[in-house]
Amino acid sequence: ASTEGYSRKTLPQETQVSQLGLGLGVSLNNIVRRVDMNVLKDIFTQSSRTEQFKTRESYLERIQQFHGPSEAESAISAELSRLNDAFAALSVSPEDPALLNTTVNQARSTAAKFNDFSDLITQLRNEAQEELKSVVTETNNLLRDVQDLNEQINRTSASGRSVANLLDQRDQVMRKLSQNIDISYFPAENDTIVVLDKSGKTLVDSSARNLEFNPTPLGPESSLGNGGSATITITGNNSAENADITQQKMGGRMEALLTLRDETLVQYQAQ
């Protein structure tokens, strides 16, 4: 039970009797899993939420580190307060060279603090985009793994053999997939499944869909609104099935990274 991906399994037995009612022993059926599918779906959902919040926290923590603790007085607000104090002192003696020099230096320090924060925001947006590119690549690989396991399960089940271990393997892939994007699924023939995203778009049925994401470097003014940020598209078996999911609430790491890139950090930049 301490093995990753383990699920409880049983070996069903069936009593064999003759036509005269004499016991002839037992026959063994295929090994079967004892898994609560509703609990499994809940695990996938919670896994998606956990990864979403962890990813968001990792980026916002760096914003907090930039401002520093309140007692350090290193935040932009502290710089503005010091600049206000410098101008207040200068207004009393505007001809004082020392006060003039202090005010100019504080103004430069305040401007530098704004520029540093702007650079940090742009850097974080680009890092989020690069991480998103890796997540999309990993997601495509996992979708193909689900497809491959579906095919193996279909063949094995059709031949009358146990698919318990293959189902365990697929659950492991699905759990990793759920960390990247919130998924649901329903059973199909011979223990295969159809995988959907949060909005009901098909990710895997008889074949795996592909997510396309081709980012370019972001600047301070880059956004989805002006076409400066790359979109994520689900491609199907033909062009009619392609769908832009960039602004869709998709859950997992993908939603966290897109929200940071296109909403949260953009708002910080605007402010």
Side-chain angles (χ1 to χ4, degrees):
S2 62
T3 302
E4 185 178 4
Y6 170 84
S7 67
R8 180 172 174 262
K9 300 176 180 66
T10 60
L11 182 62
Q13 302 177 18
E14 184 178 352
T15 302
Q16 298 295 307
V17 296
S18 69
Q19 293 180 347
L20 299 177
L22 299 176
L24 299 177
V26 296
S27 62
L28 303 179
N29 295 323
N30 285 330
I31 294 173
V32 296
R33 302 196 312 163
R34 300 299 182 188
V35 175
D36 188 323
M37 300 308 292
N38 290 325
V39 171
L40 196 60
K41 288 182 178 181
D42 284 343
I43 289 174
F44 294 158
T45 299
Q46 295 305 322
S47 178
S48 177
R49 290 177 181 172
T50 300
E51 287 300 317
Q52 180 179 343
F53 292 135
K54 283 171 60 178
T55 301
R56 180 177 175 82
E57 180 189 24
S58 68
Y59 282 83
L60 296 185
E61 185 178 24
R62 292 172 61 185
I63 297 286
Q64 185 175 350
Q65 289 171 353
F66 175 86
H67 290 296
S70 57
E71 62 269 17
E73 296 186 348
S74 59
I76 287 179
S77 58
E79 290 287 349
L80 286 170
S81 179
R82 284 190 284 269
L83 181 61
N84 181 73
D85 292 343
F87 272 113
L90 183 63
S91 66
V92 177
S93 303
E95 74 288 342
D96 189 328
L99 291 177
L100 281 167
N101 188 56
T102 298
T103 304
V104 169
N105 288 337
Q106 182 56 49
R108 286 172 175 161
S109 177
T110 303
K113 192 72 174 182
F114 272 103
N115 289 334
D116 290 345
F117 190 40
S118 177
D119 290 344
L120 174 63
I121 292 171
T122 301
Q123 178 186 343
L124 290 175
R125 291 185 69 207
N126 278 284
E127 287 181 12
Q129 183 168 256
E130 281 302 305
E131 184 177 351
L132 182 58
K133 183 178 179 181
S134 299
V135 170
V136 168
T137 299
E138 181 183 53
T139 300
N140 284 330
N141 291 334
L142 291 170
L143 292 174
R144 285 191 287 270
D145 288 343
V146 173
Q147 175 192 330
D148 292 342
L149 285 164
N150 262 347
E151 291 172 352
Q152 293 180 53
I153 289 168
N154 186 39
R155 291 193 300 268
T156 304
S157 180
S159 66
R161 291 177 291 158
S162 173
V163 295
N165 287 330
L166 289 171
L167 294 177
D168 281 354
Q169 293 177 38
R170 190 178 64 191
D171 285 350
Q172 285 295 96
V173 174
M174 291 283 284
R175 187 162 188 173
K176 292 178 182 177
L177 182 61
S178 70
Q179 294 174 353
N180 292 345
I181 182 171
D182 197 356
I183 54 173
S184 62
Y185 65 94
F186 61 86
E189 61 180 358
N190 290 335
D191 293 306
T192 61
I193 56 173
V194 175
V195 183
L196 312 170
D197 72 0
K198 196 174 183 178
S199 68
K201 293 182 179 65
T202 302
L203 297 175
V204 181
D205 46 20
S206 58
S207 62
R209 302 297 188 268
N210 191 67
L211 304 182
E212 287 192 355
F213 182 58
N214 300 301
T216 56
L218 301 171
E221 58 288 308
S222 302
S223 71
L224 277 176
N226 62 22
S229 296
T231 59
I232 298 179
T233 305
I234 297 180
T235 61
N237 297 325
N238 57 66
S239 58
E241 295 182 8
N242 295 351
D244 184 350
I245 61 171
T246 314
Q247 294 179 287
Q248 172 185 311
K249 298 300 182 183
M250 60 187 73
R253 295 165 64 195
M254 290 178 64
E255 180 177 334
L257 293 167
L258 280 170
T259 300
L260 285 164
R261 186 196 71 167
D262 298 332
E263 296 179 28
T264 308
L265 295 174
V266 173
Q267 289 174 354
Y268 285 171
Q269 188 71 269
Q271 291 167 358

